[in-house]
Amino acid sequence: HDPATMSVFCEVPQAAPVAVFKLSQDFNNDQFPKKVNLGVGAYRTDECQPWVLPVVKKVEKIIVHDDRLNHEYLPILGLPEFRSSASKIALGDDSPAIQENRVGAVQCLGGTGALKMGAEFLRRFYNGNNNTKTPVYVSAPTWENHNAVFANAGFEDIRSYKYWDAEKRGLDFAGFLGDLESCPEHSIFVLHACAHNPTGTDPTHEQWKQIAETMMKRNLFVFFDSAYQGFASGSLDKDAWAVRYFVSMDFEMLCAQSFSKNFGLYNERVGNLTVVARDADNLKRILSQMEMIVRTTWSNPPSQGARIVAITLNSPELFTDWKDNVKTMADRVLLMRAQLKAKLQALGTPGTWDHITEQIGMFSFTGLNPKQVEYMVKERHVYLMTSGRINMCGLTTKNIDYVAESIHEAVTKVQ
Amino acid sequence: MSIVFHVIHITIHLTWCFCSSWWGGVQMGPPDPILGVSEAYKRDTNPKKMNLGVGAYRDDQGKPFVLSCVRKAEAVITAKQMDKEYLAIGGLGEFTKSCAQLALGNDNEVLKSGRNITVQTISGTGSLRIGANFLSRFHGPRDVYLPKPSWGNHTPIFRDAGMQLKAYRYYDPSTCGFDFKGALDDISKIPEQSVIMLHACAHNPTGVDPRPEQWKEISDIVKKRNLLVFFDMAYQGFASGDIDRDAWAVRYFIEQGHNILLSQSFAKNMGLYGERVGGFTVVCNDAEEAKRVESQLKILIRPIYSNPPMNGARIAATILNTPDLRSLWLEEVHGMANRIIKMREELVAGLKKEGSTHNWQHVTDQIGMFCFTGLKPEQVERLTKEFSVYMTKDGRISMAGVTSGNVGYLANGIHAVTK
């Protein structure tokens, strides 16, 4: 090729890899036979295998054999049956807000896509037009992509609200409330609906009530991230309590839903941005603007995953199957939590380990410090995030002893 | 006492409920011009109505067409019972590799030296958007030059990414053909290092493509002006029926030393519209540069949708990498292109038969799904009102909506409003 053409991209710097994916890569390259991957957030069976939900297999067969189905474009906002049934899952079948015709939705590419659409909409229309200075608060710590989603949508001021108390290994509720009381009015708050990622620590109902009261008083915007509904406790309704409570308190709000984990549809990118508006007229205008944002980002969403979810949610039999599958996953995680705690206690590992069973969902913030984590990875070939976060799904009845021993060693040998 | 309490309580509650919404100032977004056409078509009760707005292929019965190679690929995939684990940010490796090979040709030096990075994207739109974001971040502030006219969504995509749009002459309404002189003239004045968008084949919306010797001159002037070339290839195989012929301009430019950006869509040529299958390629100086660019593309993708959807990419990869499915695909693509070409011929023949004295050569000269008829807005309006033929105001029709069953009716209508 013509060397006279100076590349326009010769100045492009190498970007750092995304930590959680690098961890998986390192795990994959490791030859140690007893290696354990407690990194990426995906469900694993007790054989440490990915699990395609039986109901999903069933529905895929239905789809493949239905000659009436084709691959035509979905509407810009997505498959209507998916959007409405997905919102019902979050808000409840009997949600007054739905009955009042003030709930709408945008089918998006996974939870990330839903957060992205919400963020783009808020940046354009919330607190004025294009007010990029509106503070966005994410929990300390939070899912590492939250920051980038809002920053890339144009928000210039992304802050953290107190959340995890490392010392007591629990929720810093006073700190959280303090931030709600002192933050600028109209700030946007990203709240984890349940199974907080990465800490697994959720507010109690009483605490949620106080959070809601304060947010209402201070005119703060509610943006729920719901990636684990059903997966946390095993009950869809229990896991949606906070979201539904806020709706009942008349908040106008957004809720980004992911069906990656609770449907095991990770790579089909199935998400839903539920919009709860003041009334139907507001909703109509909001959705029309959402269409414009969708059109310049991906035009219309992918069909396959949404179809699977819609068919499942709209058939009583399949819906029951799905709830069973979800409970299977949640129960296995609960079992691993109970066993890990029991083993650590039996080993006499220093410290208290109650947080392992008090925390909920896929992740646990073990409390291991970076040095101890390094020990786990390098010496024991147990891969976890530097933050001390482990994915409970990576634990199995076969490796749990090894992991417990590894934690014991890390805690006793490394300070 | 309790009644008073209740009245106060209700009043407070009502006041609270009717407090202003965050969204009071949000305007109703403008209706999508193309979707609006489909909506109006749906409402029309005329049994002879025709929808020529839709940019999706239809068979000769006017029905959506699911390619056999797609159904076969789906069966193969289902039998494999694969898991649904997240794809890498850049997508399915077998897909991105074969996607690049399809565009560039298997033996392309670019592929051999590994100096391209190709990522899986959310069809053509997603690809253009990633490209726009990448340019905005690493090649800003520079303007993007679109042909006049271009696909309606190009402008808002680049604008949203923070880039300014300008245009170069392209379509000549007096000939319903390519304004070659105008294009060269305008391109020769584009500021250095600007981005120039070129439609690889089957220009949307006009169906007017440069001839090879014209592409050569365009390449020369673009090189002289040191412009960054961004190809949009949404119709490879669908235009002429031949995938190599349709990729000729893309390959020629690379040969000539342009390090291009390229967007590919598999919506039309594989009929995978709703599965959102596309690719974005950056041709770099060398493999090292490609690695750096790749790392930055991942940083752009992650906060938008994390990683792309599997289903469509798996289907496309299976087709491209399985010899008999690939042959079947090439046949079917050829079939779709041929049906369109046939409809063009029949429309012209029909117009002649109706007694039209206008020159309709452009209908068969133009290529791909769309035809810029040359009809004026008032004529389009009459065609819609009197004949229930739905199309966009610019006179563009989707040939995909024309069938052997309705082409005569269409000719009759067009003649009626243009005689």
Side-chain angles (χ1 to χ4, degrees), chain B residues 135-144 162-164 191-195:
Chain B
L135 289 170
S136 183
R137 191 170 276 188
F138 294 104
H139 194 62
R142 299 254 172 36
D143 294 339
V144 177
M163 304 197 73
Q164 306 278 21
E192 290 206 26
Q193 304 220 4
S194 302
V195 180

Side-chain angles (χ1 to χ4, degrees), chain B residues 279-304:
Chain B
F280 175 65
T281 294
V282 182
V283 176
C284 303
N285 263 356
D286 50 48
E288 187 271 333
E289 182 173 285
K291 280 260 156 284
R292 283 184 281 115
V293 170
E294 179 185 18
S295 71
Q296 295 295 346
L297 290 176
K298 287 180 181 174
I299 299 284
L300 284 169
I301 292 171
R302 175 88 166 131
I304 303 177

Side-chain angles (χ1 to χ4, degrees), chain A residues 317-344:
Chain A
E317 220 188 278
L318 295 171
F319 183 52
T320 304
D321 282 350
W322 175 54
K323 283 192 284 188
D324 280 345
N325 291 170
V326 170
K327 191 155 186 314
T328 299
M329 293 191 285
D331 283 349
R332 195 179 97 65
V333 169
L334 289 168
L335 180 64
M336 290 298 98
R337 286 186 180 278
Q339 288 194 356
L340 182 61
K341 176 169 115 175
K343 288 185 190 293
L344 289 170

Side-chain angles (χ1 to χ4, degrees), chain B residues 3-112:
Chain B
I3 296 170
V4 172
F5 173 80
H6 280 298
V7 168
I8 293 172
H9 177 83
I10 290 165
T11 310
I12 291 171
H13 187 69
L14 282 173
T15 316
W16 192 32
C17 280
F18 291 128
C19 70
S20 60
S21 160
W22 289 124
W23 316 121
V26 174
Q27 303 291 330
M28 191 68 191
D32 188 293
I34 296 172
L35 276 184
V37 169
S38 282
E39 297 295 302
Y41 166 84
K42 275 191 202 129
R43 288 193 295 266
D44 193 324
T45 52
N46 184 346
K48 292 193 146 181
K49 63 182 180 177
M50 290 177 69
N51 188 352
L52 301 184
V54 72
Y57 180 80
R58 295 285 175 265
D59 63 18
D60 203 43
Q61 273 68 52
K63 296 271 179 287
F65 175 55
V66 177
L67 279 64
S68 296
C69 62
V70 167
R71 290 219 192 276
K72 288 191 155 85
E74 287 175 308
V76 166
I77 292 164
T78 307
K80 286 201 179 139
Q81 295 283 287
M82 288 177 280
D83 66 41
K84 298 200 169 292
E85 294 300 288
Y86 288 122
L87 285 178
I89 300 175
L92 182 66
E94 301 112 75
F95 168 74
T96 56
K97 188 154 178 249
S98 50
C99 174
Q101 284 172 334
L102 180 67
L104 272 40
N106 285 11
D107 298 322
N108 201 299
E109 152 277 317
V110 164
L111 300 174
K112 290 204 172 108

Side-chain angles (χ1 to χ4, degrees), chain A residues 108-126:
Chain A
C108 297
L109 271 84
T112 305
L115 288 162
K116 165 72 171 178
M117 278 304 134
E120 288 284 348
F121 178 80
L122 289 172
R123 191 260 299 158
R124 283 165 174 71
F125 298 108
Y126 175 69

